[in-house]
Amino acid sequence: MQLPESKELYATIARLDSAMFAAFNRHDAEQLQTFFAEDLEFYHDKGGLADFQKTMAGFRSLFEQNKTTGLNRQLVPGSLEVYPIPGYGAVDAHLHRFCHVENGKDDCGTFKNMMVWRLKDGQWKVTRVVSYDHQ
């Protein structure tokens, strides 16, 4: 449930999420990495723990492998929840759907995700990601 005083925070995080995944959908690794802090910890229920460098290498590899598959991510409408973390930033939880074409057909999956955003020196950066419920 969103508290009334969190409407501006919700709009900020929703805008950042949209911009981050616009870069992902363009397969623009250089732009995508600007959303993540250097001290990133990315937890994935299948892939384990990755730091900033490993995460960025993973994105570049994913984009290289999917040059012609139409790989894209879409936020599941109505799933984004944003909560303040006083003195730090915010946490968002959401569902997102990744799709690509495989063997001439759409191959899609919907997964759960949580990101911790830090506001430092006027910039929002993701410091922690937990990606889970991969079947």
Side-chain angles (χ1 to χ4, degrees):
M1 182 169 109
Q2 292 298 316
L3 303 174
E5 59 268 22
S6 296
K7 286 180 182 177
E8 183 179 337
L9 179 62
Y10 181 93
T12 297
I13 298 301
R15 178 182 51 77
L16 290 165
D17 179 88
S18 179
M20 176 191 296
F21 285 99
F24 180 93
N25 291 343
R26 288 190 314 271
H27 298 188
D28 184 347
E30 293 302 313
Q31 180 66 34
L32 184 60
Q33 76 179 17
T34 67
F35 291 93
F36 295 93
E38 297 272 332
D39 60 345
L40 173 70
E41 291 180 3
F42 193 121
Y43 300 88
H44 191 283
D45 65 350
K46 299 293 184 194
L49 172 61
D51 63 8
F52 178 85
Q53 295 301 329
K54 187 174 178 182
T55 298
M56 295 310 118
F59 283 134
R60 285 189 294 277
S61 176
L62 186 65
F63 296 158
E64 184 65 29
Q65 293 169 10
N66 287 278
K67 283 184 175 182
T68 62
T69 67
L71 174 68
N72 69 89
R73 178 268 193 179
Q74 300 300 323
L75 179 68
V76 173
S79 72
L80 180 65
E81 298 178 31
V82 177
Y83 301 93
I85 301 176
Y88 189 83
V91 61
D92 88 60
H94 59 268
L95 297 174
H96 52 194
R97 184 170 174 81
F98 287 89
C99 294
H100 68 280
V101 175
E102 191 170 307
N103 298 322
K105 296 181 181 179
D106 281 342
D107 183 11
C108 299
T110 301
F111 311 105
K112 296 177 182 175
N113 197 60
M114 182 190 76
M115 294 191 286
V116 176
W117 293 83
R118 176 176 61 207
L119 178 59
K120 183 177 178 183
D121 300 328
Q123 289 194 316
W124 287 96
K125 299 275 186 173
V126 174
T127 59
R128 303 293 179 267
V129 177
V130 180
S131 184
Y132 59 103
D133 198 26
H134 297 89
Q135 314 289 314

